[in-house]
Amino acid sequence: MEVESSSSDEPRSIAVEKAIEVDIDPGNLLVSDSNEISRLQLNSNPAEYLKELTRSNTQLLINRIFTLPFHRVDDVIVAELPKPTYVLPRSKPAPKARPLSKWESYAKEKGIVKKKKSRLVWDEMVKKWVPRFGYRRAEAEHAKDWLIEVPQHADPYEDQFEKKSEEKSERVAKNELQRLRNLAKAKKVVVPAAKGLTSKVKQSKEELLTAAHTANKATASLGKFQPKVGKLKPLKGTGKKRQFEPLINNQEKAKNLSVLDKIMNKKPKIDVESVVSKSVGSGNLKRKGQGQDNYGDDEDGGQRRGGRRGKQMGTKNSKIKKGPAKKGSFKKGRASPRSGPKKKKN
Amino acid sequence: MGRKANWSEKPKSGPGRKARKQPAPSFPGMIGSGPGGGGGGISKHRKKKQFGGPGGKKRSSYPQNDGRKLKPGQPYRKSNESKKSSKPIDKKVTRNVRDASDSEEDEEEKQVMGSNSEGDEGMSDNEPTMETGSGSEDGSDDEAMQDDFSGSDGEAPDSGLEDGDQNGDGQKDEDKDDKLTKWHKLANINGSSDDADKIDFPEGQEPTFDVQVVVDRIKDVISTLLDFKTRREEGRSRSEYISLLTSDLCQYYGYNEYLMERIMQVFPLGELQDALDAADAPRPMTIRTNTLKCRRRELAQALIARGVNLDPVGKWSKVGLVVYSSQVPVGATPEYLAGHYMIQGAASFLPVMALGPQENERILDMCAAPGGKSTHIAALMKNTGTLLANEFNKDRAKALIGNFHRMGVKNSVICSYDGRKLPEVMKGFDRVLLDAPCSGSGVISKDSSTKTQRDAIDIQRTNTKQKELIMAAIDCLDATSQTGGYLVYSTCSILPEENEEVVALALRKRNVKLVPTGLDFGTPGFVNFQGKRFHPTMNLTRRFYPHSHNMDGFFVAKFKKFSNSNPVVKVDDEEEEEAEGSGEQE
Amino acid sequence: MRPLTEEETRLFFEKLAKYIGENIKVLIDRPDGPFCFRLHKERVYYVSEEIMKKAGNISRDNLVCLGTCLGKFTKTKKFRLHITALDYMAPYAQAKMWLKPNAEQQFLYGHNVMKSGLGRISENTVKYSGVVVYSMNDIPLGFGTAAKSTTECRHTDPGTIVCFHQADIGEYIRSEDTLT
């Protein structure tokens, strides 16, 4: 780029003419020129034209600077820039609001509003106005607990003072835990769950079980080398996720057929009803007490094979029961005429 | 079987048998000398109607909000005879509902039928019916009019009216005299000395509550508008007449202004009243045989054995049956439950017939519930190929399941997507049917709340949805399919904004063209409407009207996609020049 | 949508076999193309494989129904056949019953079948087996369980129930919701 020496030129006037007033922001040292750019000049002689423009605008800026209040600092004249008016856009995205904590979101949902509490509270026992929190509260409390009554059903050897201070420390710890949890949630930090281990007063069976499992696992090798502590029942809901066959399955037909075969094999193949009805039709079966002449009728001996008690075939209890005869169906010692002498199923 | 139901043609019927019984009465003191005189444009019969004779036509007052003139179940185009025979069925109701203008309608009808040819398909001409008909048929008018006040004998058994009340408005004849004087007064108010058909423009905003006045005014205005130059009143512009007509029609039929304006734009004036009357009356019930399970003949025999009175629907369909009456509920017979038929409106057959599904194709139905059309498609596909039935509303999709299983459809998949998102799910269909959700202006008989509830915002919303859906439907099509690439767009509406405009948009924005629907009856769609010019092939689409085709108002358009790519949106000419110009400068 | 596990297939087949017995083979192994059973939202659907593949595109929430629904698994993993399976049971039924016209109405309302309404019954119907119920015109009306075997049917008095109602086509109107 050629640098034109300004010394060769005559000093030009500081007056600048502009069609529209330029907007000067001295705080940022910014000049915004909204005059129209002449396309003609831009196309014909861009470098010159732009240089002219820049020069005139800079001149205006410098004119403005000289109008600002100044003061001397070590032989140097310094002009005080006012506050910038032009807002520069953010270079980084704006930070997001902090997410509501667990209590805050609950309160919002339920519509609970914080009520301002007064600092001083009238205390009957001490007959004084006692601060509810802050400076000198502990003092007031001490004044009260020079004596703690042992409640009726409590253990007489229990130290009530100890108990009180223990409760306080537990409350403090709980609050701290919740604060940290809220913080972790806001920062999206993954905190491993201590299932069941955070003590509650009464824990259910499942919670105790979970706590036992968690405690078992909470070693450096994740519970692999832990000695067995009695019978640790397995947890429900954990374990491997069920695997299903893929949607398009070539073996499906074969599988289905094999399942079908298994089912079909279970069912008795002989159709007892058909045989019975045939026999009934053919009139071979004699009525009760008329003799036992019905053995030869079956073509395949299926009647015998299937079971002793014809009545029980085809009912819901199709499984043939071994064992004693149906009670009360016939007199003891006397064989049922249909079945003849009892034959044990081989 | 019984009388065939003729969907396209209706036989003309002249004046009824009873009409010819007595000669015309002469009222020497009345008609000739009354207001209106013998001259003027108004016909003699018109005057008779207005001013009547002794015991002439009564203008019974009946509840204001009952815009219905016809009995439910009566098809609109009816001959006099059938009307007479229908009276005994429902005496009490007809007496209240039916009014003097009913027989007026009859006469007008006669004239219409007399002057028009049987061309129900082409409702192209608006023949001024009043004038041509009236002159020739004065005699018959008189005869018809006599039904109302003739002597007791011949009429009573057939007409089923009480003694002393011969014209069926529930009032004894003695009261007629009082009414007569009232009519004289009305007549005086209505007309000045010379011009009988001077229409009384209500200056104020109050609507007239006398329905007869409204009815007459409607007729007068229509007849005036049809022959505007000769009949117009000085100083009244056409738009004033039209606005008066609109408000009267709204009042009489129970529509809101917006919808009535639209309807008036669609129908020519001569048909307007026919169309409005027909829209109110329900269409006959039709059923479609499920060809997957039985044949029409066997089904018809089985149903007749159960006591259903039916007929084949016409030569345009091989599976349709129209049910006239039934002793058993048609929707609960064992044949229905076994899926042998489906109750469907006749108009619903048309989009599927236009679509022409074939075996082993992939077909999509975008708004499938309750499933009449989808099951029809499956039947035509003979359970081969794939049918994807989509319905956005999950509850209606359940109805789809029931119907599909009942009808024995095995090749279907039912899903519940927003139709506009379907192209993302699956593409490459051979045929697509889009029975778009619409304002329902064609099926007013099924839901009369449409008359009052539809306004511009409603229609705008459904319109946007229809446009998006048709774009999505076209995107789902496969142009390279061997057998297809067809889309059928149908609505149960008669408004061109929901029909022709949507079709025009599709033609502009996608590579589709209109093809003949294959339906040989039906009115062609509008190529020009209200100054808007649509694509010249718009006449390949088909419109169906209740009054001309005796089925619900319907619109069917069939597209073929010829390229899978989308057309580039054209740049404006000015923009092009500018771009070029700036390029040159640099 | 997923295929059935072995256990589910077994339960399902056992139920179905009560009505059509060995003919399940015909359903599994069809001459006109491979059909398959798929489970979606605890319902078993019977559909041809090509259609099933196409339906694989549809997400679980949006898929409503696939081919023919044969029945569903209850919460306690028992299988219940629906009336929608009738189309596949009727041609392959092993035990059939035909009802007289007056008894049709009763059955279609969900009542059991009395002997007085029984027109015909197929031979060798085992007691408590599954039967498919037809009208005298051979229209399948539904299915049920035989309360009496064929021989017993002959000898009982007309007032006794011969068939317990399980499902009938009247359910298409009576209980459309359960079909879902």
Side-chain angles (χ1 to χ4, degrees), chain A residues 322-339:
Chain A
K322 269 191 209 172
K326 206 163 121 189
K327 284 188 185 158
S329 58
F330 51 90
K331 288 190 186 145
K332 251 187 186 172
R334 190 181 157 209
S336 151
R338 280 256 175 99
S339 45

Side-chain angles (χ1 to χ4, degrees), chain B residues 293 306 331 334-335 337-338 362 385-386 388 394 401-402 405-406 408 410-417 425-426, chain C residues 51 54-55 57-59 61-69 84 87-88 104 108 139 169-170 172-173 179-180:
Chain B
K293 292 204 173 179
R306 292 206 184 266
E335 281 78 27
L337 295 171
R362 281 168 80 176
T386 314
L388 180 62
K394 281 214 158 67
I401 304 177
H405 282 106
R406 190 173 57 80
K410 305 213 186 345
N411 63 341
S412 65
V413 179
I414 304 177
C415 62
S416 173
Y417 274 106
V425 178
M426 227 196 288
Chain C
I51 298 177
K54 303 227 174 78
N57 283 9
I58 301 176
S59 75
D61 308 317
N62 299 94
L63 182 62
V64 175
C65 178
L66 192 63
T68 316
C69 170
T84 47
D87 275 344
Y88 289 108
E104 266 175 39
L108 290 181
I139 302 177
I169 51 181
Y172 283 119
I173 304 182
L179 296 174
T180 308

Side-chain angles (χ1 to χ4, degrees), chain A residues 242 244 256 259 263, chain C residues 2-16 37-46 69-82 84 178-180:
Chain A
R242 262 202 317 182
F244 297 120
N256 282 342
V259 172
I263 296 174
Chain C
R2 62 169 173 87
L4 297 155
T5 61
E6 289 243 6
E7 189 56 33
E8 287 166 348
T9 326
R10 190 181 59 80
L11 288 164
F12 165 49
F13 280 178
E14 274 178 5
K15 202 52 182 287
L16 202 53
F37 300 100
R38 286 291 175 270
L39 192 77
H40 172 66
K41 291 197 179 155
E42 301 307 311
R43 281 165 202 271
V44 176
Y45 294 99
Y46 179 63
C69 170
L70 295 181
K72 68 184 248 191
F73 281 101
T74 62
K75 285 247 166 72
T76 51
K77 297 298 166 197
K78 295 196 178 56
F79 185 73
R80 186 180 186 76
L81 269 174
H82 280 177
T84 47
T178 48
L179 296 174
T180 308

